[in-house]
Amino acid sequence: MKKLILAGLVVTPLAAYPAASWLMGQQAERLLGEQYAQLEGNVYLKLHARDTQRGVFNTVETATFEWLPSIGKPLAQALCESSAKAEGAPACSNPTEPLRFTVRTTIQHGPLPGLSTLALATAHSELVLAEPRHPVLASLYGDKTPLTVDTVFRFGGDGHQSMKSPAVDFTADDQTRLQWGEFNLEGDFTRGAKSVRFTGGLPFVKALSPEGAPLLDMSDMRMEGTQTRLFDDDPYLYAGPVKLTLARLDIPRKGEDDQNVLIEGLAFRGNVIQKEAFLDLEGGYAVDVFRLGEERFGPVRLDAAFRHMEARSLSRFYRDYTRLVQDGDLREALAGGAKPDLALFKPLLEPARVLLENSPEFSIDRLDITLPKGTLQGNAVVRLPNAKVGNLADAAANPLVLMGLASALEAEVRMSVPEALAVEWAGEDQAAMIPVLTQEGYIQNAGGVLSSRLSYARGEITVNGKKLDPALMGTVRGGE
């Protein structure tokens, strides 16, 4: 009896494991389906077909995606032309077939997928290339797949993802050599990708001449971000910071008339900040060193923002705009040079009105450019406080409807520049007016640095707090 009980204790879990694995495989498929659902409304890509071959312990899924015309047509044309060039064929005709690609995913079911970890499932996805391979892809990657993604789905539906693209060492027909390292991007996500966190990058890109001389040297490109979806019904509007950095880009001099270009410490950043029902959209870039030949510039810094944007209207405006971009009638009109029907833009008018009537603000928070003759600095802000826009549809027939916006507009610009640089930019005639403008109070001179503050409000322009004199400005424009 004891032996029977012991055998039952061993056999029961083993018998239950296949059923548990099967159920967890179904859950993993649903999680993948939730990810595919994020493509609804995407103007660039859609899910064309999905085939699933289920097993007890693993599932193989093949998904085919289609690039939509807004990006698919130019991409198909570029691939067609590159293929014709590689094969020495005549220029290709305009491609008419939709451009598609296929991803094959092998899912290992939990609770011990592949006997390697404790999880709901693991998935290995790779790009499936049609045979024969496109000549460019065959030259770059050989028989390797250009992209793989490995995913761990945890029991709560969240998980971790690792995206990789292999290193490349390619020699062209003219013996120019192109190299880059392995691209790697690691990320964590919650169920349905409601929030994501990612980091990764590309270690280097190099180009060498047939003689081995460097043509381009780029090192340590990195990207990172933390994003949270704002609305369940909008899969594309996320809040949170993102950043792209590049340690160094060196483009050596090629000929007598060329100059070498060197960039160090390049950084782009963006952030969407939620403040109750409103969003602040911030962005900017910075460069530590920019060298053109013997001239050195930098550091350079620009920070700008759109603030107090009503979140729901911004979401609606973007979704309607993306549908408009995908609209075939609009694309054909723009491609043919014809004037598009203004009725096509009607869905944008209501969210635009709400955005304008909620006191939006655009600002350049910081502009710093270090030049050989000194540092140019400035900032600016444009506000639209408590504006009454009315029916924007009327503005197409009568632009005077928008005069109310002009009366509500407020703006301020501050700028400082080294006097030597201002004289160089102004030219001899205009530079002669700098002392006059300084005496009148329109320019302030502190130790050879010229500064000024221009403001606009209620239809009036002031400079350094002093009402602008149109007669004096006319003299300046005339160079007298």
Side-chain angles (χ1 to χ4, degrees):
M1 177 64 71
K2 290 182 178 179
K3 290 184 178 180
L4 289 175
I5 293 173
L6 181 61
L9 291 175
V10 173
V11 171
T12 299
L14 292 177
Y17 187 87
S21 182
W22 173 273
L23 292 174
M24 290 184 183
Q26 288 184 317
Q27 293 180 55
E29 288 177 47
R30 283 196 294 270
L31 292 174
L32 278 175
E34 290 176 8
Q35 293 185 355
Y36 295 145
Q38 306 302 315
L39 292 176
E40 294 180 10
N42 192 297
V43 296
Y44 304 116
L45 194 65
K46 74 174 183 178
L47 179 65
H48 173 71
R50 182 184 179 191
D51 177 68
T52 302
Q53 301 296 323
R54 297 205 70 238
V56 176
F57 300 109
N58 61 71
T59 296
V60 177
E61 178 176 282
T62 303
T64 300
F65 302 89
E66 181 178 310
W67 293 106
L68 295 174
S70 56
I71 192 173
K73 282 189 175 181
L75 188 57
Q77 184 67 31
L79 288 173
C80 182
E81 290 175 358
S82 65
S83 179
K85 183 178 179 180
E87 297 172 354
C92 66
S93 58
N94 186 29
T96 56
E97 292 297 318
L99 187 62
R100 296 172 181 151
F101 65 93
T102 299
V103 176
R104 181 183 297 117
T105 300
T106 302
I107 305 170
Q108 300 275 358
H109 306 165
L112 294 171
L115 300 178
S116 60
T117 187
L118 183 65
L120 178 70
T122 61
H124 175 78
S125 305
E126 60 181 47
L127 191 63
V128 180
L129 300 179
E131 299 293 346
R133 295 192 173 196
H134 188 281
V136 173
L137 294 176
S139 299
L140 292 175
Y141 297 102
D143 59 355
K144 295 181 291 188
T145 181
L147 186 67
T148 61
V149 180
D150 287 287
T151 306
V152 176
F153 292 104
R154 302 188 184 102
F155 293 105
D158 60 328
H160 179 82
Q161 205 161 58
S162 177
M163 180 186 298
K164 296 182 184 296
S165 182
V168 164
D169 190 344
F170 166 69
T171 301
D173 292 339
D174 64 357
Q175 299 306 301
T176 299
R177 191 174 179 185
L178 181 64
Q179 302 170 305
W180 63 76
E182 181 185 72
F183 173 80
N184 182 39
L185 191 66
E186 301 285 334
D188 294 290
F189 58 88
T190 61
R191 179 161 188 159
K194 290 185 177 180
S195 64
V196 296
R197 184 175 66 249
F198 61 89
T199 181
L202 188 65
F204 69 89
V205 176
K206 296 179 183 291
L208 304 172
S209 72
E211 297 75 30
L215 301 175
L216 179 145
D217 188 355
M218 187 189 84
S219 61
D220 198 16
M221 183 183 75
R222 304 285 300 172
M223 61 186 71
E224 61 183 63
T226 302
Q227 301 271 278
T228 301
R229 190 185 306 143
L230 289 169
F231 305 120
D232 289 338
D233 59 352
D234 186 343
Y236 303 110
L237 186 57
Y238 281 77
V242 292
K243 183 168 68 172
L244 173 68
T245 60
L246 179 64
R248 180 183 174 91
L249 175 63
D250 190 2
I251 305 176
R253 180 179 179 183
K254 297 179 182 178
E256 291 293 330
D257 298 329
D258 296 323
Q259 292 181 309
N260 66 294
V261 176
L262 174 65
I263 297 174
E264 294 181 338
L266 175 64
F268 294 93
R269 66 170 187 85
N271 196 6
V272 177
I273 304 169
Q274 185 176 20
K275 296 180 178 179
E276 296 181 348
F278 296 90
L279 300 177
D280 289 350
L281 285 63
E282 299 180 347
Y285 74 91
V287 180
D288 292 337
V289 174
F290 174 66
R291 189 185 295 276
L292 182 61
E294 298 303 316
E295 293 278 4
R296 174 185 168 126
F297 308 89
V300 176
R301 179 74 179 265
L302 172 66
D303 297 322
F306 286 96
R307 293 194 170 91
H308 210 255
M309 309 292 289
E310 205 277 325
R312 270 296 182 183
S313 295
L314 184 64
S315 170
R316 179 181 168 188
F317 185 93
Y318 177 72
R319 282 184 291 175
D320 289 341
Y321 170 76
T322 54
R323 293 190 191 102
L324 185 63
V325 169
Q326 192 58 34
D327 185 88
D329 293 337
L330 179 61
R331 289 200 314 276
E332 291 178 7
L334 295 176
K339 185 177 180 180
D341 185 357
L342 293 177
L344 294 173
F345 297 90
K346 188 174 180 181
L348 302 180
L349 299 182
E350 180 57 21
R353 180 193 66 79
V354 177
L355 289 170
L356 292 172
E357 289 189 347
N358 273 280
S359 302
E361 176 183 301
F362 170 73
S363 66
I364 298 176
D365 298 326
R366 178 179 176 183
L367 173 64
D368 282 356
I369 305 176
T370 300
L371 304 167
K373 292 187 177 180
T375 300
L376 172 69
Q377 295 181 313
N379 56 62
V381 62
V382 178
R383 303 184 184 92
L384 199 62
N386 304 313
K388 298 301 179 185
V389 177
N391 188 355
L392 283 175
D394 295 337
N398 181 13
L400 292 177
V401 171
L402 299 179
M403 288 300 292
L405 294 181
S407 62
L409 186 71
E410 295 179 0
E412 182 173 281
V413 178
R414 295 173 181 262
M415 186 68 68
S416 66
V417 60
E419 185 174 9
L421 188 59
V423 170
E424 180 181 303
W425 285 352
E428 184 177 346
D429 292 339
Q430 297 294 336
M433 288 300 300
I434 292 177
V436 178
L437 294 173
T438 303
Q439 184 178 358
E440 292 292 329
Y442 293 120
I443 294 176
Q444 296 175 345
N445 191 332
V449 177
L450 306 181
S451 63
S452 192
R453 183 183 81 253
L454 185 147
S455 303
Y456 173 85
R458 294 175 294 279
E460 183 176 280
I461 299 175
T462 60
V463 181
N464 293 334
K466 181 178 180 178
K467 188 174 180 180
L468 188 66
D469 182 354
L472 180 60
M473 291 300 100
T475 301
V476 173
R477 287 194 299 270
E480 298 175 7

